[in-house]
């Protein structure tokens, strides 16, 4: 029997296209202008073309593509998703044809472990709407809704328990699409794995978050492997990768009494995402993950620009890692030219 090589892993980016300032991610008009999901889908259709042109096969859609669809005081928008069935189906078919993996990452206001039942109900309504859109797009199980655990409310164990209790009440489409990500301040990878053991919810590994919050000092590979196992064998997991900001900032402060200005040097906060991905850091991580299969959502601030820079960087510095994403050395000139179309480089005297 002939063995079939696994498909290359995919690189993706979230929401905003920075290489083209004419591409919008969603209809952002205010309610008085009657924004609509079909307008957002028109914008997204153009983004799919952009992704295909640059061979980018994973994309996170804005969680606001259906404006006001669940707003409690605006019932005129509540039928927006089901009224757009044909447009959603057409968009989903195009994404499948192009081999582009889609997802949502609902906002930080989606909180399933809140002690406030009204906030939980509002969160569930938003998740139902987004799961319905993915279903009407006829997306495979890998098209997911990524959320965080929520607030600690002064008691991490009790907050985890409330999440588990809420899970049992979620509609089937939400349970089928939902995945849970650990964060950088409140709930570690160990916490989301604890929740997985009690619910079966799939989990997302976030490289930067693991460095920021890992009280058990569990090695990266061990945590990554454990989280990837929360996905069924017939589904391709995905992870998040970003490098921390390292830039020094200067802040001008004015004394209220003397009006005198002083300049303060402000150190970076390492929970913040860098504009680009450090290729050496990325290559080191991917080598540590050797033998594990997953797609990678880049959460760099420069969005698609960061992705278009990382690919030629990998071919230049880590061709073994580039090969995991289907990149061949022969592609280097084309990828470098593609990067040059959207980014300028300025040489620094002395190299520093």
């Amino acid at each position: 029997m002939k063995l079939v090589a696994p498909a290359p892993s995919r690189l993706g980016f979230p929401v905003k296209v920075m290489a083209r300032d004419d591409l919008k991610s969603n209809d952002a008009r205010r309610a008085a202008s009657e924004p609509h999901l079909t307008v957002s889908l028109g914008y997204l259709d153009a983004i799919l073309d952009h992704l295909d042109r640059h061979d980018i096969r994973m994309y996170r859609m804005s969680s606001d593509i259906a404006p006001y669809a669940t707003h409690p005081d605006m019932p005129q928008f509540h039928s927006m998703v089901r009224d757009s069935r044909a447009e959603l189906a057409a968009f989903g078919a195009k994404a499948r044809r192009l081999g582009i993996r889609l997802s949502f990452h609902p906002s930080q206001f989606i909180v399933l472990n809140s002690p406030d039942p009204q906030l939980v109900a509002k969160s569930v309504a938003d998740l139902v709407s987004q799961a319905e859109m993915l279903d009407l797009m006829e997306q495979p199980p890998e098209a997911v809704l990524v959320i965080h655990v929520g607030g600690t409310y002064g008691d991490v164990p009790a907050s985890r328990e409330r999440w588990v209790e809420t899970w049992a009440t979620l509609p089937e489409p939400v349970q089928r699409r939902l995945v849970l990500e650990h964060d950088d301040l409140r709930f570690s990878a160990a916490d989301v794995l604890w929740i997985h053991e009690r619910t079966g919810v799939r989990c997302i590994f976030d490289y930067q978050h693991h460095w920021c919050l890992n009280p058990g000092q569990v090695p990266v590979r061990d945590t990554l492997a454990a989280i990837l196992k929360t996905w069924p064998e017939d589904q391709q997991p995905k992870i998040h990768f970003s490098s921390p900001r390292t830039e020094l900032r200067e802040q001008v402060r004015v004394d209220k009494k003397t009006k005198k200005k002083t300049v303060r040097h402000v150190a970076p906060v390492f929970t913040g995402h860098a504009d680009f991905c450090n290729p050496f850091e990325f290559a080191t991580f991917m080598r540590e993950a050797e033998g594990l299969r997953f797609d990678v959502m880049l959460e760099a601030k420069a969005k698609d620009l960061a992705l278009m820079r990382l690919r030629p960087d990998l071919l230049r510095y880590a061709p073994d890692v580039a090969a995991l994403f289907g990149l061949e050395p022969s592609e280097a000139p084309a990828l470098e030219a593609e990067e040059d179309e959207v980014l300028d480089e300025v040489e620094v005297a002395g190299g520093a």
Side-chain angles (χ1 to χ4, degrees):
M1 184 176 67
K2 184 178 179 180
L3 295 177
V4 178
S9 295
R10 287 169 282 200
L11 291 171
F13 71 95
V15 186
K16 184 177 180 180
V17 174
M18 296 188 67
R20 294 258 309 270
D21 58 10
D22 61 322
L23 294 180
K24 299 179 181 180
S25 59
N26 63 289
D27 188 351
R29 293 176 296 166
R30 295 188 178 275
S33 299
E34 299 183 356
H36 204 278
L37 172 58
T38 55
V39 175
S40 294
L41 290 172
Y43 296 153
L44 288 172
D45 186 81
I47 287 178
L48 289 184
D49 291 336
H50 171 75
L51 299 175
D52 185 47
R53 176 176 176 248
H54 294 284
D55 196 21
I56 298 171
R57 303 297 162 183
M58 184 162 65
Y59 176 68
R60 178 193 297 164
M61 298 177 289
S62 166
S63 58
D64 297 321
I65 64 170
Y68 305 106
T70 61
H71 196 293
D73 301 323
M74 297 185 181
Q76 68 271 30
F77 294 107
H78 289 182
S79 66
M80 181 184 298
V81 172
R82 58 178 174 270
D83 291 346
S84 305
R85 298 176 75 94
E87 291 85 355
L88 285 163
F91 175 79
K94 181 172 181 175
R96 294 195 308 276
R97 185 173 71 253
L98 296 177
I100 296 173
R101 179 177 184 171
L102 300 174
S103 64
F104 283 118
H105 195 334
S107 75
Q108 69 270 25
F109 302 109
I110 303 299
V111 183
L112 295 184
N113 72 341
S114 172
D116 180 356
Q118 290 187 330
L119 178 55
V120 172
K122 174 66 170 64
S123 299
V124 172
D126 285 347
L127 293 173
V128 167
S129 179
Q130 292 179 44
E132 183 181 11
M133 284 188 277
L134 291 175
D135 283 351
L136 291 173
M137 291 177 188
E138 299 180 53
Q139 292 302 291
E142 289 89 352
V144 294
L145 306 174
V146 184
I147 67 168
H148 294 282
V149 179
T152 63
Y153 304 99
D155 189 333
V156 169
S159 296
R160 293 186 316 197
E161 287 282 4
R162 276 197 305 276
W163 202 99
V164 171
E165 292 167 3
T166 300
W167 167 268
T169 71
L170 295 176
E172 185 275 337
V174 175
Q175 286 193 351
R176 179 163 37 82
R177 295 286 182 186
L178 205 63
V179 297
L180 190 60
E181 177 189 356
H182 56 112
D183 62 65
D184 51 0
L185 296 172
R186 300 176 183 86
F187 294 94
S188 68
D191 290 317
V192 299
L193 287 168
W194 185 94
I195 291 173
H196 162 75
E197 290 171 359
R198 288 152 180 81
T199 62
V201 65
R202 293 167 292 174
C203 298
I204 291 279
F205 176 80
D206 187 294
Y207 173 82
Q208 188 174 354
H209 290 172
H210 183 66
W211 278 106
C212 292
L213 182 62
N214 180 18
Q217 297 299 295
V218 183
V220 168
R221 184 183 171 94
D222 292 350
T223 298
L224 173 63
I227 286 181
L228 296 180
K229 285 181 181 178
T230 67
W231 291 68
E233 289 187 3
D234 61 345
Q235 295 177 20
Q236 174 86 331
K238 71 174 186 134
I239 71 152
H240 295 168
F241 184 92
S242 53
S243 298
R245 279 193 174 275
T246 60
E247 297 88 348
L248 175 72
R249 293 186 298 116
E250 290 187 346
Q251 188 177 81
V252 178
R253 299 178 183 175
V254 181
D255 187 289
K256 292 182 179 180
K257 293 182 178 179
T258 66
K259 306 301 181 185
K260 182 180 179 180
K261 294 181 179 179
T262 57
V263 177
R264 297 288 298 173
H265 297 302
V266 182
V269 177
F270 292 132
T271 55
H273 296 324
D275 293 336
F276 291 86
C277 293
N278 182 319
F280 313 125
E281 186 180 15
F282 184 82
T284 300
F285 163 68
M286 292 301 300
R287 287 168 179 157
E288 192 169 359
E290 182 180 2
L292 302 175
R293 300 290 301 173
F294 49 85
D295 293 334
V296 182
M297 180 66 69
L298 301 178
E299 293 195 318
K301 292 292 187 182
K303 311 292 183 179
D304 54 332
L305 298 180
L307 190 155
M308 284 191 268
R309 172 147 190 142
L310 180 63
R311 292 190 297 196
D313 278 348
L314 292 178
L315 283 169
R316 183 179 303 115
Y317 301 120
D320 58 317
V321 173
L324 299 174
F325 298 93
L327 301 173
E328 301 290 343
S330 60
E331 297 178 82
L335 290 173
E336 289 170 5
E338 179 183 73
E339 179 192 353
D340 289 342
E341 287 182 7
V342 294
L343 287 168
D344 293 328
E345 283 193 9
V346 178
E347 292 190 14
V348 179

